[in-house]
Short mmCIF file of all heavy atoms in Angstrom, two decimals:
data_model
loop_
_atom_site.label_atom_id
_atom_site.label_comp_id
_atom_site.label_asym_id
_atom_site.label_seq_id
_atom_site.Cartn_x
_atom_site.Cartn_y
_atom_site.Cartn_z
N GLY X 126 -7.56 -2.21 1.04
CA GLY X 126 -8.22 -1.44 -0.01
C GLY X 126 -9.06 -0.34 0.58
O GLY X 126 -9.48 -0.39 1.70
N LEU X 127 -9.22 0.67 -0.24
CA LEU X 127 -9.84 1.92 0.27
C LEU X 127 -10.94 2.32 -0.69
O LEU X 127 -10.81 2.39 -1.87
CB LEU X 127 -8.80 2.99 0.39
CG LEU X 127 -9.25 4.28 1.05
CD1 LEU X 127 -9.74 4.06 2.42
CD2 LEU X 127 -8.02 5.22 1.04
N ILE X 128 -12.12 2.67 -0.19
CA ILE X 128 -13.25 3.11 -0.86
C ILE X 128 -13.42 4.66 -0.54
O ILE X 128 -13.41 5.05 0.55
CB ILE X 128 -14.56 2.42 -0.55
CG1 ILE X 128 -14.45 0.99 -0.88
CG2 ILE X 128 -15.74 3.10 -1.26
CD1 ILE X 128 -15.50 0.14 -0.34
N VAL X 129 -13.36 5.48 -1.66
CA VAL X 129 -13.37 6.89 -1.40
C VAL X 129 -14.60 7.47 -2.00
O VAL X 129 -14.83 7.43 -3.21
CB VAL X 129 -12.13 7.58 -2.09
CG1 VAL X 129 -12.12 9.05 -1.85
CG2 VAL X 129 -10.87 6.99 -1.46
N CYS X 130 -15.41 8.13 -1.12
CA CYS X 130 -16.63 8.89 -1.58
C CYS X 130 -16.29 10.34 -1.20
O CYS X 130 -16.64 10.70 -0.12
CB CYS X 130 -17.83 8.44 -0.88
SG CYS X 130 -18.05 6.77 -0.47
N LEU X 139 -5.79 12.13 -5.30
CA LEU X 139 -6.41 10.81 -5.37
C LEU X 139 -5.66 9.93 -6.31
O LEU X 139 -5.47 8.72 -6.04
CB LEU X 139 -7.79 11.02 -6.04
CG LEU X 139 -8.83 11.30 -4.87
CD1 LEU X 139 -10.23 11.48 -5.53
CD2 LEU X 139 -8.95 10.15 -3.95
N LEU X 140 -5.22 10.50 -7.42
CA LEU X 140 -4.45 9.65 -8.45
C LEU X 140 -3.15 9.18 -7.87
O LEU X 140 -2.72 8.08 -8.05
CB LEU X 140 -4.14 10.51 -9.65
CG LEU X 140 -5.44 10.74 -10.62
CD1 LEU X 140 -5.17 11.78 -11.62
CD2 LEU X 140 -5.80 9.40 -11.28
N VAL X 142 -2.53 8.57 -4.61
CA VAL X 142 -2.82 7.42 -3.70
C VAL X 142 -3.23 6.22 -4.48
O VAL X 142 -2.83 5.06 -4.16
CB VAL X 142 -3.89 7.83 -2.66
CG1 VAL X 142 -4.26 6.65 -1.84
CG2 VAL X 142 -3.43 8.99 -1.78
N ALA X 143 -3.99 6.39 -5.55
CA ALA X 143 -4.45 5.21 -6.31
C ALA X 143 -3.31 4.54 -6.95
O ALA X 143 -3.36 3.38 -7.08
CB ALA X 143 -5.44 5.75 -7.38
N ALA X 144 -2.22 5.31 -7.25
CA ALA X 144 -1.08 4.66 -7.84
C ALA X 144 -0.41 3.70 -6.95
O ALA X 144 0.26 2.68 -7.32
CB ALA X 144 -0.08 5.68 -8.38
N SER X 146 -1.87 2.49 -3.88
CA SER X 146 -2.75 1.61 -3.11
C SER X 146 -3.87 1.09 -3.91
O SER X 146 -4.19 1.58 -5.06
CB SER X 146 -3.31 2.39 -1.93
OG SER X 146 -2.42 3.33 -1.42
N SER X 147 -4.59 0.27 -3.37
CA SER X 147 -5.76 -0.36 -4.02
C SER X 147 -6.95 0.51 -3.59
O SER X 147 -7.31 0.50 -2.44
CB SER X 147 -5.89 -1.84 -3.58
OG SER X 147 -7.15 -2.33 -3.90
N LEU X 148 -7.54 1.19 -4.59
CA LEU X 148 -8.46 2.21 -4.26
C LEU X 148 -9.63 2.18 -5.24
O LEU X 148 -9.53 1.86 -6.42
CB LEU X 148 -7.78 3.60 -4.36
CG LEU X 148 -8.45 4.83 -4.03
CD1 LEU X 148 -7.45 5.85 -3.49
CD2 LEU X 148 -9.25 5.47 -5.21
N VAL X 149 -10.81 2.23 -4.67
CA VAL X 149 -12.01 2.29 -5.59
C VAL X 149 -12.72 3.59 -5.34
O VAL X 149 -13.01 3.98 -4.10
CB VAL X 149 -12.98 1.10 -5.25
CG1 VAL X 149 -14.40 1.36 -5.87
CG2 VAL X 149 -12.35 -0.18 -5.84
N LEU X 150 -13.14 4.25 -6.34
CA LEU X 150 -13.93 5.52 -6.24
C LEU X 150 -15.48 5.24 -6.25
O LEU X 150 -15.85 4.43 -7.02
CB LEU X 150 -13.60 6.42 -7.40
CG LEU X 150 -12.64 7.56 -7.20
CD1 LEU X 150 -11.78 7.43 -6.00
CD2 LEU X 150 -11.80 7.82 -8.48
N LEU X 151 -16.21 5.97 -5.43
CA LEU X 151 -17.61 5.91 -5.53
C LEU X 151 -18.23 7.23 -6.15
O LEU X 151 -17.84 8.26 -5.62
CB LEU X 151 -18.14 5.73 -4.17
CG LEU X 151 -19.65 5.21 -4.23
CD1 LEU X 151 -19.79 3.87 -3.52
CD2 LEU X 151 -20.52 6.23 -3.63
N ASN X 152 -18.92 7.05 -7.22
CA ASN X 152 -19.48 8.20 -7.86
C ASN X 152 -18.46 9.24 -8.26
O ASN X 152 -18.61 10.44 -8.01
CB ASN X 152 -20.64 8.78 -7.03
CG ASN X 152 -21.89 8.20 -7.36
OD1 ASN X 152 -21.99 7.30 -8.18
ND2 ASN X 152 -22.94 8.61 -6.71
N ARG X 153 -17.50 8.77 -8.91
CA ARG X 153 -16.39 9.66 -9.37
C ARG X 153 -15.55 8.90 -10.45
O ARG X 153 -15.24 7.75 -10.28
CB ARG X 153 -15.62 10.17 -8.28
CG ARG X 153 -14.48 11.05 -8.71
CD ARG X 153 -13.98 11.89 -7.52
NE ARG X 153 -12.94 12.85 -7.87
CZ ARG X 153 -12.58 13.78 -7.10
NH1 ARG X 153 -13.17 13.91 -5.91
NH2 ARG X 153 -11.60 14.61 -7.45
N VAL X 154 -15.33 9.58 -11.53
CA VAL X 154 -14.59 8.98 -12.57
C VAL X 154 -13.18 9.64 -12.75
O VAL X 154 -13.11 10.85 -12.83
CB VAL X 154 -15.32 9.11 -14.01
CG1 VAL X 154 -14.40 8.49 -15.04
CG2 VAL X 154 -16.57 8.29 -13.95
N LEU X 155 -12.15 8.79 -12.60
CA LEU X 155 -10.75 9.24 -12.76
C LEU X 155 -10.13 8.18 -13.66
O LEU X 155 -10.39 7.04 -13.50
CB LEU X 155 -10.09 9.31 -11.41
CG LEU X 155 -9.58 10.68 -10.93
CD1 LEU X 155 -10.46 11.85 -11.20
CD2 LEU X 155 -9.32 10.60 -9.44
N PRO X 156 -9.34 8.60 -14.61
CA PRO X 156 -8.68 7.63 -15.50
C PRO X 156 -7.95 6.57 -14.80
O PRO X 156 -7.18 6.74 -13.86
CB PRO X 156 -7.72 8.50 -16.37
CG PRO X 156 -7.64 9.77 -15.67
CD PRO X 156 -8.85 10.02 -14.82
N ASP X 157 -8.25 5.36 -15.16
CA ASP X 157 -7.50 4.07 -14.65
C ASP X 157 -7.75 3.86 -13.15
O ASP X 157 -7.03 3.05 -12.54
CB ASP X 157 -6.03 4.15 -14.93
CG ASP X 157 -5.72 4.07 -16.34
OD1 ASP X 157 -6.42 3.31 -17.05
OD2 ASP X 157 -4.69 4.74 -16.92
N VAL X 158 -8.80 4.42 -12.62
CA VAL X 158 -9.13 4.10 -11.22
C VAL X 158 -10.53 3.40 -11.24
O VAL X 158 -11.50 3.93 -11.70
CB VAL X 158 -9.20 5.42 -10.33
CG1 VAL X 158 -9.41 4.97 -8.85
CG2 VAL X 158 -7.84 6.14 -10.50
N PRO X 159 -10.53 2.16 -10.64
CA PRO X 159 -11.75 1.41 -10.64
C PRO X 159 -12.87 2.26 -9.77
O PRO X 159 -12.51 3.01 -8.94
CB PRO X 159 -11.55 0.11 -9.84
CG PRO X 159 -10.12 0.30 -9.33
CD PRO X 159 -9.46 1.45 -9.97
N ALA X 160 -14.05 2.11 -10.26
CA ALA X 160 -15.11 3.00 -9.65
C ALA X 160 -16.50 2.22 -9.71
O ALA X 160 -16.80 1.48 -10.62
CB ALA X 160 -15.27 4.29 -10.40
N ALA X 161 -17.30 2.52 -8.63
CA ALA X 161 -18.69 2.13 -8.63
C ALA X 161 -19.50 3.35 -8.90
O ALA X 161 -19.46 4.30 -8.07
CB ALA X 161 -19.00 1.47 -7.28
N LEU X 162 -20.24 3.51 -9.94
CA LEU X 162 -20.89 4.60 -10.36
C LEU X 162 -22.41 4.44 -10.44
O LEU X 162 -22.95 3.43 -10.85
CB LEU X 162 -20.35 5.06 -11.75
CG LEU X 162 -18.87 5.18 -11.72
CD1 LEU X 162 -18.31 5.16 -13.20
CD2 LEU X 162 -18.39 6.40 -11.02
N LEU X 299 -20.78 -3.37 -4.68
CA LEU X 299 -19.87 -3.35 -5.86
C LEU X 299 -18.53 -2.87 -5.47
O LEU X 299 -17.50 -3.43 -5.91
CB LEU X 299 -20.56 -2.59 -6.90
CG LEU X 299 -19.75 -2.29 -8.23
CD1 LEU X 299 -19.40 -3.63 -8.87
CD2 LEU X 299 -20.46 -1.41 -9.14
N ALA X 300 -18.48 -1.78 -4.76
CA ALA X 300 -17.20 -1.22 -4.41
C ALA X 300 -16.32 -2.24 -3.72
O ALA X 300 -15.12 -2.38 -4.03
CB ALA X 300 -17.44 -0.01 -3.49
N VAL X 301 -16.83 -3.01 -2.75
CA VAL X 301 -16.09 -4.05 -2.05
C VAL X 301 -15.68 -5.12 -3.09
O VAL X 301 -14.56 -5.55 -3.09
CB VAL X 301 -16.93 -4.60 -0.93
CG1 VAL X 301 -16.20 -5.79 -0.35
CG2 VAL X 301 -17.19 -3.54 0.13
N GLU X 302 -16.61 -5.51 -3.96
CA GLU X 302 -16.26 -6.43 -4.94
C GLU X 302 -15.08 -6.04 -5.81
O GLU X 302 -14.13 -6.80 -6.01
CB GLU X 302 -17.43 -6.75 -5.80
CG GLU X 302 -17.33 -7.96 -6.70
CD GLU X 302 -18.33 -7.90 -7.84
OE1 GLU X 302 -19.54 -7.57 -7.61
OE2 GLU X 302 -17.93 -8.14 -8.99
N LEU X 303 -15.13 -4.86 -6.26
CA LEU X 303 -14.02 -4.29 -7.11
C LEU X 303 -12.69 -4.27 -6.33
O LEU X 303 -11.68 -4.69 -6.83
CB LEU X 303 -14.32 -2.90 -7.51
CG LEU X 303 -15.45 -2.74 -8.45
CD1 LEU X 303 -15.70 -1.31 -8.86
CD2 LEU X 303 -15.32 -3.49 -9.76
N LEU X 304 -12.76 -4.00 -5.08
CA LEU X 304 -11.55 -3.96 -4.19
C LEU X 304 -10.99 -5.38 -4.05
O LEU X 304 -9.82 -5.60 -4.30
CB LEU X 304 -12.00 -3.41 -2.85
CG LEU X 304 -11.24 -2.27 -2.21
CD1 LEU X 304 -10.73 -1.37 -3.29
CD2 LEU X 304 -12.09 -1.61 -1.24
N LEU X 305 -11.91 -6.32 -3.80
CA LEU X 305 -11.40 -7.67 -3.51
C LEU X 305 -10.99 -8.38 -4.84
O LEU X 305 -10.10 -9.31 -4.79
CB LEU X 305 -12.45 -8.48 -2.76
CG LEU X 305 -12.89 -7.88 -1.33
CD1 LEU X 305 -13.89 -8.86 -0.78
CD2 LEU X 305 -11.67 -7.76 -0.56
N ALA X 306 -11.58 -7.95 -5.87
CA ALA X 306 -11.13 -8.51 -7.18
C ALA X 306 -9.74 -8.17 -7.52
O ALA X 306 -9.13 -8.93 -8.32
CB ALA X 306 -12.10 -8.19 -8.35
N GLY X 307 -9.28 -7.13 -7.03
CA GLY X 307 -7.86 -6.68 -7.27
C GLY X 307 -7.77 -6.12 -8.72
O GLY X 307 -8.74 -5.98 -9.32
N PRO X 308 -6.52 -5.85 -9.08
CA PRO X 308 -6.31 -5.18 -10.34
C PRO X 308 -6.47 -6.10 -11.57
O PRO X 308 -6.67 -5.63 -12.60
CB PRO X 308 -4.85 -4.76 -10.21
CG PRO X 308 -4.24 -5.67 -9.18
CD PRO X 308 -5.31 -6.03 -8.26
N GLY X 309 -6.51 -7.42 -11.37
CA GLY X 309 -6.74 -8.33 -12.45
C GLY X 309 -5.44 -8.48 -13.36
O GLY X 309 -4.44 -8.03 -12.95
N ALA X 313 -5.88 -6.09 -18.45
CA ALA X 313 -7.35 -6.02 -18.25
C ALA X 313 -7.69 -4.54 -18.02
O ALA X 313 -6.99 -3.85 -17.34
CB ALA X 313 -7.80 -6.92 -17.05
N PRO X 314 -8.86 -4.13 -18.56
CA PRO X 314 -9.26 -2.82 -18.46
C PRO X 314 -9.64 -2.55 -16.96
O PRO X 314 -10.19 -3.49 -16.29
CB PRO X 314 -10.50 -2.67 -19.31
CG PRO X 314 -10.95 -4.10 -19.49
CD PRO X 314 -9.83 -4.97 -19.33
N VAL X 315 -9.41 -1.36 -16.44
CA VAL X 315 -9.92 -1.06 -15.14
C VAL X 315 -11.36 -1.07 -15.07
O VAL X 315 -12.06 -0.49 -16.03
CB VAL X 315 -9.32 0.39 -14.71
CG1 VAL X 315 -10.04 0.94 -13.52
CG2 VAL X 315 -7.87 0.24 -14.47
N ARG X 316 -11.94 -1.58 -14.07
CA ARG X 316 -13.42 -1.72 -14.05
C ARG X 316 -14.05 -0.45 -13.42
O ARG X 316 -13.87 -0.09 -12.35
CB ARG X 316 -13.83 -2.95 -13.16
CG ARG X 316 -13.46 -4.25 -13.88
CD ARG X 316 -13.75 -5.43 -12.91
NE ARG X 316 -15.10 -5.60 -12.55
CZ ARG X 316 -15.50 -6.45 -11.66
NH1 ARG X 316 -14.69 -7.27 -11.02
NH2 ARG X 316 -16.81 -6.53 -11.39
N GLN X 317 -14.83 0.16 -14.26
CA GLN X 317 -15.64 1.29 -13.81
C GLN X 317 -17.08 0.92 -14.11
O GLN X 317 -17.54 0.97 -15.29
CB GLN X 317 -15.22 2.62 -14.56
CG GLN X 317 -13.75 2.94 -14.32
CD GLN X 317 -13.28 4.23 -14.80
OE1 GLN X 317 -13.76 4.69 -15.83
NE2 GLN X 317 -12.37 4.98 -14.16
N GLU X 318 -17.89 0.54 -13.13
CA GLU X 318 -19.15 -0.04 -13.45
C GLU X 318 -20.27 0.86 -13.01
O GLU X 318 -20.31 1.51 -11.95
CB GLU X 318 -19.19 -1.46 -12.71
CG GLU X 318 -18.07 -2.31 -13.17
CD GLU X 318 -18.33 -3.81 -12.90
OE1 GLU X 318 -19.39 -4.15 -12.43
OE2 GLU X 318 -17.46 -4.57 -13.37
N TRP X 319 -21.27 0.90 -13.96
CA TRP X 319 -22.41 1.74 -13.74
C TRP X 319 -23.63 1.00 -13.28
O TRP X 319 -23.94 -0.09 -13.71
CB TRP X 319 -22.84 2.40 -15.01
CG TRP X 319 -21.69 3.35 -15.58
CD1 TRP X 319 -20.60 3.02 -16.33
CD2 TRP X 319 -21.71 4.80 -15.33
NE1 TRP X 319 -19.92 4.21 -16.53
CE2 TRP X 319 -20.51 5.27 -15.91
CE3 TRP X 319 -22.54 5.68 -14.60
CZ2 TRP X 319 -20.17 6.66 -15.90
CZ3 TRP X 319 -22.21 6.95 -14.61
CH2 TRP X 319 -21.01 7.50 -15.18
#
Side-chain angles (χ1 to χ4, degrees):
Chain X
L127 186 59
I128 296 166
V129 179
C130 330
L139 274 179
L140 284 168
V142 174
S146 322
S147 167
L148 187 149
V149 165
L150 256 22
L151 194 123
N152 271 0
R153 177 157 180 169
V154 175
L155 241 40
D157 290 328
V158 182
L162 305 163
L299 173 59
V301 172
E302 188 199 318
L303 293 178
L304 234 30
L305 298 183
V315 165
R316 290 172 64 186
Q317 301 186 324
E318 305 201 354
W319 292 86

